[in-house]
Amino acid sequence: MKKNALIVWGGWDGHEPEQVSHIFKGILEEENFNVEVSNSLDSYADPEKLKSLDLIVPHWTMGEIDKKYVLNISDAVMSGVGLAGCHGGMCDSFRNNVDWQFMTGGNWVAHPGNDGVEYMVNIKHSTSPLLEGFSDFKVVSEQYYLHVDPAVEVLATTRFPVVDGPHATNKAVDMPVVWTKRWGQGHVFYNALGHQANIVAMPEVSLIMRRGFLWAANGKNSSEALVTSANGNGSVYTGMGDSQ
């Protein structure tokens, strides 16, 4: 049986959201998904439709979103719907909504040197099989500095500093590039690579996204117990919705 995915793109045009979403659609269709593509945040308005999906792929940068839409997505992911995305399309989507940042596992804060920085992506040995067979690889793009949830499982890192800046007077740090996270029963996957479509189309990056999509879409088949609604209707306090 085919799985169902929703891709929602928009926000800052510099990230080429329409082109990147086209690449994502092709990957998912190759994996036998039914794929709906939308350029409207109103696609998040129907909570029951979202819960009927297997995967949500956000690719929206530097936007503003109705708090209710974030809670709808959170409820869907907690029920087992996967959430997977890349670069600013997922972890620089809604800077004013900390609930979104809590769910996704991190948020962009800087890219020293801007675009065109040459750096290494280092594969980290972990309990996850998602990046099995990968070797370290080089990228010429933005190197994302993120504020990251310590609960994530880090699958790849990059080392700072590469270029000069106020951060360079600190000791060297390994910044997460690829991670997974659990949100209730849902699987959350993030890849910081993907500034524009040419980076997403790199063989290493597109394969990372392919594997991430498939893993995230498997949340409904996991054995984890369901948790309460993000709207606070259940008996367990979630922490969601108090910050807006």
Side-chain angles (χ1 to χ4, degrees), residues 169-198:
T169 53
N170 298 298
K171 65 180 181 180
V173 294
D174 290 326
M175 180 61 56
V177 174
V178 181
W179 69 67
T180 59
K181 181 179 178 177
R182 306 302 176 98
W183 191 252
Q185 191 168 326
H187 292 180
V188 178
F189 174 85
Y190 177 69
N191 177 10
L193 302 172
H195 176 57
Q196 292 181 326
N198 65 316

Side-chain angles (χ1 to χ4, degrees), residues 112-125:
N114 296 312
D115 196 15
V117 176
E118 181 177 283
Y119 62 95
M120 291 297 298
V121 176
N122 303 113
I123 307 303
K124 183 173 181 179
H125 298 292

Side-chain angles (χ1 to χ4, degrees), residues 57-75:
V57 181
H59 200 69
W60 199 291
T61 306
M62 291 188 292
E64 295 184 3
I65 190 170
D66 190 308
K67 173 184 172 181
K68 186 180 297 183
Y69 290 178
V70 173
L71 294 176
N72 288 346
I73 298 165
S74 178
D75 278 352

Side-chain angles (χ1 to χ4, degrees), residues 7-205:
I7 300 172
V8 180
W9 64 268
W12 185 58
D13 287 338
H15 279 160
E16 300 181 346
E18 185 173 10
Q19 298 92 318
V20 170
S21 295
H22 180 74
I23 295 173
F24 287 168
K25 181 175 185 286
I27 292 172
L28 289 167
E29 288 179 339
E30 289 173 0
E31 296 295 339
N32 203 34
F33 279 74
N34 294 313
V35 183
E36 177 185 349
V37 180
S38 169
N39 64 351
S40 172
L41 292 175
D42 290 338
S43 297
Y44 297 137
D46 185 344
E48 295 310 312
K49 178 182 177 180
L50 295 179
K51 288 180 182 178
S52 73
L53 300 170
D54 296 284
L55 179 66
I56 298 169
V57 181
H59 200 69
W60 199 291
T61 306
M62 291 188 292
E64 295 184 3
I65 190 170
D66 190 308
K67 173 184 172 181
K68 186 180 297 183
Y69 290 178
V70 173
L71 294 176
N72 288 346
I73 298 165
S74 178
D75 278 352
V77 176
M78 286 195 291
S79 75
V81 179
L83 185 69
C86 76
H87 200 65
M90 180 160 147
C91 282
D92 191 22
S93 295
F94 312 113
R95 294 180 182 176
N96 292 330
N97 193 293
V98 295
D99 291 339
W100 178 266
Q101 297 161 24
F102 190 18
M103 176 173 56
T104 57
N107 199 70
W108 171 88
V109 294
H111 42 60
N114 296 312
D115 196 15
V117 176
E118 181 177 283
Y119 62 95
M120 291 297 298
V121 176
N122 303 113
I123 307 303
K124 183 173 181 179
H125 298 292
S126 69
T127 61
S128 172
L130 268 176
L131 298 190
E132 278 186 3
F134 272 82
S135 299
D136 297 349
F137 62 95
K138 186 178 296 184
V139 175
V140 179
S141 185
E142 290 181 339
Q143 187 186 31
Y144 258 20
Y145 204 103
L146 300 125
H147 287 172
V148 180
D149 184 343
V152 304
E153 181 169 9
V154 178
L155 307 185
T157 62
T158 185
R159 178 155 290 189
F160 280 86
V162 173
V163 299
D164 288 335
H167 66 296
T169 53
N170 298 298
K171 65 180 181 180
V173 294
D174 290 326
M175 180 61 56
V177 174
V178 181
W179 69 67
T180 59
K181 181 179 178 177
R182 306 302 176 98
W183 191 252
Q185 191 168 326
H187 292 180
V188 178
F189 174 85
Y190 177 69
N191 177 10
L193 302 172
H195 176 57
Q196 292 181 326
N198 65 316
I199 300 298
V200 177
M202 289 176 59
E204 298 92 341
V205 179

